[in-house]
Amino acid sequence: MNITAQCCGLVLLVVLLVFYLRQKRIKLHTEKAFQRVWAFSLLNLSLDILSVVFIFNMESIPLWMVKLVCKLYVASIVATAMSALVYVLEDAYSKHDKNDKKKVISFLTGVINTVIIFACPIRIVNDGAGTVYTEGPAVLVAYFFGFCIFLALALV
C-alpha cells in the first residue's frame, strides 16, 4: 500500500497548523477562509489515504462502502478547490464589497458538482501488484470541475 506521499502531505499540514497556531493572529477577514482551506485539505488527504486502505481491503469491506469512500475522496478534490476559490474571493475583494453573491454562487456550484459526482459511476482498480486507483465518469467529472475551478482562480 503506497500512501507515503499522502502521509508526507499530512505531516506538512500538521506542521503548517503548528506554525499557524503559534503565531499571533490579527483577525483578518480572510482567516476563517484560510482555516476552511486547511480543513478541506486535511479532509482530502485523509480521504485519499482511507480510500487506498479500503481498496486494499475490499475483500473484507462491503463494495458499496468502498465506493462511497472513493466518491467522497473524489468529491473532496472539488471541495478543496472550491474552498481555495472562496479564500481568493475573500482576499480579492475587501470586506465592504458585496462578494456574498459570489460566495453563494461558489457554494451552490460546489453542491451541484458534488451531486453530479455522486450520480456518476466509479470503477475501482486493484491490479494486485500494489497499484490501486479509481477511474470512470465520477473521476473525470471531478477532474473537469477541479480544472474549471482552478481556471476561475487564475481569473480572479
Side-chain angles (χ1 to χ4, degrees):
M1 178 167 27
N2 192 1
I3 54 173
T4 307
Q6 294 91 331
C7 290
C8 289
L10 281 177
V11 169
L12 288 174
L13 280 174
V14 170
V15 168
L16 181 64
L17 178 64
V18 168
F19 284 135
Y20 174 73
L21 293 176
R22 291 183 62 195
Q23 299 297 316
K24 287 185 178 181
R25 288 175 291 286
I26 56 176
K27 305 294 182 199
L28 294 174
H29 68 279
T30 58
E31 187 173 346
K32 287 183 181 176
F34 170 78
Q35 292 168 352
R36 280 191 301 271
V37 171
W38 184 88
F40 276 111
S41 298
L42 180 66
L43 177 68
N44 179 263
L45 275 170
S46 300
L47 286 169
D48 189 9
I49 292 169
L50 191 62
S51 69
V52 171
V53 170
F54 272 44
I55 292 171
F56 266 103
N57 297 296
M58 279 178 54
E59 300 83 31
S60 59
I61 300 172
L63 183 60
W64 68 267
M65 192 178 297
V66 176
K67 286 187 175 189
L68 174 66
V69 168
C70 290
K71 280 193 179 186
L72 284 170
Y73 162 61
V74 170
S76 75
I77 295 170
V78 176
T80 304
M82 288 302 296
S83 69
L85 180 60
V86 171
Y87 177 60
V88 169
L89 289 173
E90 284 284 335
D91 197 35
Y93 300 98
S94 76
K95 191 174 183 178
H96 304 294
D97 287 341
K98 295 295 179 191
N99 63 349
D100 291 337
K101 185 176 180 181
K102 291 177 184 176
K103 286 194 288 187
V104 169
I105 290 170
S106 297
F107 175 77
L108 291 175
T109 302
V111 169
I112 291 167
N113 292 348
T114 303
V115 168
I116 293 170
I117 289 167
F118 273 88
C120 291
I122 192 167
R123 287 185 297 281
I124 298 167
V125 178
N126 183 352
D127 71 357
T131 303
V132 298
Y133 57 92
T134 54
E135 64 182 13
V139 175
L140 293 175
V141 166
Y143 288 158
F144 173 75
F145 288 147
F147 179 73
C148 291
I149 293 165
F150 282 114
L151 282 180
L153 278 165
L155 297 175
V156 172

